[in-house]
Amino acid sequence: MKYSEIMVRYGELSTKGKNRRVFIGQLGHNVRQVLKQFDGVTVDAQRDRMHVSLHDQDAGPVMDTLQKVFGIETFSPVVKLEKNTPIEKIQETALEMISNQFKNGETFKISTNRQNKDYPLNTYQMNDEVGGYVLDHLKGIEAQMKHPDINLQIDVRMSGIYLSSQTIQGALGLPVGTGGRGTMMLSGGIDSPVAAYMAMKRGVKLDMIHFYSPPYTSEQALAKAKDLTAKLSALGGTVDFIQVPFAKIQEEIKEKVPEGYLMTVQRRMMLRIAAAITIARHCDGVFTGESLGQVASQTLESMRAINDVTNLPVLRPLLSLDKTEIIKIAEQIDTYDLSILPYEDCCTIFTPPAPKTKPKVEKAREFEQNIDVDGLMKEALDGIKISKIHPDDDYLNANEDVFSELL
Ligand code: ATP
Ligand code: MG
C-alpha cells in the first residue's frame, strides 16, 4: 500500500494554552531531527495533529522511527486523495487498505466524517457504498458496527479525502526537551541506558557523561557508550556526549586510598566532575543507573557517602527495579545487545575485590585528603571531549577497520 502521510496524535501533552504550544513545537522539532535521514519527508505540527508527509518514502521505516519518539500517543498511516475523487476510486483504495491487513474471520466497519459538505455523497451513503464494495470483493469478511477488528476511517475534508485503517501505539511520555535539562552518567552497562530512557520519557533533555580510562579501557568501550547514546537519541533527537578521561584519577586513588574505600572515593570523584559539568552546562540534576542494593556501591549508606560531594539532585530512575525488570526494558529499547558486549568500562577494571558496603562519609572525606582533589578534577575537566550523536550513528562498526588494526 502506498501511503501519503502518517497522522500523529499527541500524547500526554500538558493541557493548557501556552504549554501545549511549547510541547507541540518541541515534538515537531524532535520528529524533524529523527526523520532527517528520510529525504523529502516533511513535518507539519498543528494544534490537534501532526502530519508527516511521506513524499514517496516508504511508510514502514518512517513509522518504525516515529514509534520511538516520546510524546506521541498513536499514529496512523493515511492515504490522501483529491477532494473531488470519485467514489469508485475511494472504494478501490479502501478495499486495498483492508485487504492488506485482513485476516480470515475478521470484521470491519467504515466510519465517515464529512466536513466538506460539497462532496456529493453524505456520510451514510459513503459508509454504505464503500462498505458494500468491500463486502462484495473480499471473501470471508463481515461487517460489524460494535468493536470491529478493522475500522476504516474516511475523513472528507476541504483539503482532501483521508483514509486510514490502522492505529499504532506510540511511545507515550513527554517530548524530550519539555522536562528540563539534566546530565546522565552513562556507562557501557545495562542499567544506565535504561535509566536514561526513563528520564527522557518524562521529557528531560540529557547530556551524556561517560568516564573512560585509556589505556586500561579500549576504543571499543568508548564506541559502545557512543552507540548506546545513538540508540537513545532516537527517542528525541541529537544528544551531546561528553567523554571524561578518568585513568589518572583512578591510578592516584589506587595508590593512595585504602582498598575498602577505592570504590567510594572513585564514585565521589566521578560525581564531583559530573556535578561540575552539570552546572557549567546549565543543567539541573544528575541521573544515574543505580538501583538500591544491587551492588556494594549502591547501598543506601553508600549513596549517602557518595552524594556528599554535591547538593545537586542526583536522580535514580531505576532505584527500586529488579535486575530482571531492567533487562526487560533494555531489550525493549534495543540497548541490551550492545550493553552486554564484553568491552569493560573504567569501573570494572578498578573494582576492588571487597568494597565496603557501608562506607562512612567521614572516612571517605578523610581518605580523600591523600589525593589532590581539585587538581585532578581540573585536569579531567580540561581533557573532556564533546561530540554530537545522532540516531543513525554507528561507532563500533564505523571503526571496525581501526580496531582490527589494533588487534
Ligand atoms: P550500569 O549497568 O549502568 O553500568 P552497574 O550496575 O554497572 O550500572 P555501577 O558500576 O555501580 O553499576 O554504576 C552505577 C552507576 O554509575 C551507573 O549506572 C552509571 O550511572 C554510573 N557509572 C558507572 N560507570 C560509569 C562510567 N564509566 N561513566 C559514566 N557513568 C558511570
Ligand atoms: Mg557498570
Side-chain angles (χ1 to χ4, degrees):
M1 187 89 224
K2 190 160 166 43
Y3 292 102
S4 8
E5 67 165 62
I6 314 296
M7 192 200 33
V8 175
R9 299 173 197 86
Y10 301 131
E12 180 198 332
L13 292 172
S14 189
T15 45
K16 286 177 233 76
K18 185 163 162 261
N19 256 353
R20 193 176 166 87
R21 238 190 5 254
V22 171
F23 280 55
I24 293 170
Q26 183 73 53
L27 184 61
H29 174 82
N30 297 351
V31 168
R32 266 177 218 112
Q33 271 197 10
V34 298
L35 293 180
K36 221 183 245 164
Q37 42 176 323
F38 300 102
D39 275 344
V41 169
T42 56
V43 177
D44 180 17
Q46 293 186 350
R47 222 194 118 69
D48 53 342
R49 300 277 164 85
M50 180 188 293
H51 301 272
V52 176
S53 303
L54 292 169
H55 299 288
D56 288 334
Q57 288 280 356
D58 250 7
V62 172
M63 293 201 287
D64 289 345
T65 307
L66 282 176
Q67 201 154 20
K68 301 193 179 111
V69 179
F70 286 130
I72 294 178
E73 174 122 347
T74 60
F75 56 87
S76 300
V78 173
V79 174
K80 180 183 178 187
L81 301 171
E82 288 307 312
K83 71 172 187 183
N84 296 320
T85 303
I87 181 67
E88 293 76 19
K89 174 79 184 161
I90 299 175
Q91 288 171 323
E92 280 163 26
T93 310
L95 177 65
E96 189 186 345
M97 257 179 146
I98 293 180
S99 306
N100 265 337
Q101 64 185 106
F102 171 66
K103 290 185 220 70
N104 221 349
E106 283 187 337
T107 57
F108 86 111
K109 136 187 200 183
I110 310 288
S111 319
T112 304
N113 182 341
R114 189 172 65 138
Q115 259 176 15
N116 174 13
K117 304 289 178 204
D118 295 338
Y119 194 79
L121 271 67
N122 67 24
T123 307
Y124 174 79
Q125 292 164 325
M126 183 74 104
N127 289 344
D128 205 43
E129 290 283 335
V130 177
Y133 186 85
V134 171
L135 279 174
D136 287 348
H137 290 82
L138 195 56
K139 251 179 68 183
I141 200 161
E142 278 177 40
Q144 173 151 329
M145 294 305 108
K146 265 192 189 158
H147 311 300
D149 299 308
I150 302 169
N151 184 4
L152 186 124
Q153 286 172 291
I154 304 178
D155 263 317
V156 182
R157 300 200 185 187
M158 298 310 292
S159 54
I161 298 174
Y162 300 84
L163 278 73
S164 67
S165 62
Q166 272 172 288
T167 301
I168 296 154
Q169 175 73 56
L172 306 175
L174 299 166
V176 171
T178 60
R181 287 189 54 192
T183 55
M184 175 80 221
M185 292 178 65
L186 187 85
S187 69
I190 296 169
D191 302 335
S192 39
V194 174
Y197 166 87
M198 292 176 84
M200 292 166 90
K201 185 162 189 191
R202 299 317 297 162
V204 179
K205 176 150 180 63
L206 291 177
D207 295 344
M208 305 301 175
I209 301 177
H210 176 74
F211 294 89
Y212 70 127
S213 303
Y216 306 103
T217 59
S218 61
E219 283 288 319
Q220 284 99 321
L222 182 64
K224 172 182 168 187
K226 287 185 172 178
D227 280 352
L228 285 166
T229 303
K231 292 265 181 212
L232 293 162
S233 71
L235 313 174
T238 311
V239 175
D240 284 358
F241 179 90
I242 304 160
Q243 59 194 76
V244 187
F246 202 56
K248 169 100 181 275
I249 294 180
Q250 289 180 303
E251 286 168 346
E252 278 287 298
I253 294 174
K254 182 140 198 194
E255 199 187 313
K256 296 180 177 155
V257 172
E259 197 171 89
Y261 276 77
L262 280 184
M263 176 60 77
T264 310
V265 174
Q266 277 185 62
R267 288 298 152 102
R268 285 167 61 96
M269 285 305 287
M270 274 193 181
L271 185 56
R272 266 200 192 94
I273 294 168
I277 295 173
T278 305
I279 290 166
R281 296 178 70 87
H282 308 288
C283 296
D284 291 303
V286 183
F287 288 80
T288 80
E290 290 162 308
S291 151
L292 197 52
Q294 198 186 81
V295 289
S297 61
Q298 299 180 20
T299 61
L300 196 52
E301 293 86 349
S302 208
M303 285 183 193
R304 178 178 174 210
I306 297 166
N307 231 148
D308 176 53
V309 300
T310 181
N311 55 14
L312 281 176
V314 177
L315 299 135
R316 304 174 174 93
L318 308 185
L319 193 77
S320 50
L321 293 192
D322 292 347
K323 194 75 182 187
T324 46
E325 293 174 294
I326 298 171
I327 289 175
K328 209 165 137 196
I329 303 174
E331 284 169 342
Q332 279 163 11
I333 65 173
D334 198 25
T335 53
Y336 184 73
D337 288 345
L338 265 175
S339 289
I340 59 172
L341 291 175
Y343 309 129
E344 310 280 11
D345 70 25
C346 67
C347 298
T348 5
I349 286 160
F350 280 84
T351 305
K356 278 233 175 316
T357 53
K358 296 184 179 181
K360 298 272 170 292
V361 178
E362 296 70 27
K363 282 257 184 319
R365 289 183 188 167
E366 187 190 316
F367 294 139
E368 243 169 37
Q369 289 179 359
N370 299 347
I371 60 171
D372 174 15
V373 169
D374 293 341
L376 287 168
M377 242 183 100
K378 182 171 182 316
E379 203 179 320
L381 286 170
D382 286 344
I384 66 177
K385 282 194 202 129
I386 303 178
S387 20
K388 296 226 173 280
I389 309 241
H390 311 283
D392 47 346
D393 288 348
D394 184 351
Y395 284 89
L396 277 170
N397 285 326
N399 290 324
E400 229 165 29
D401 301 344
V402 183
F403 292 148
S404 52
E405 272 167 38
L406 291 173
L407 290 174

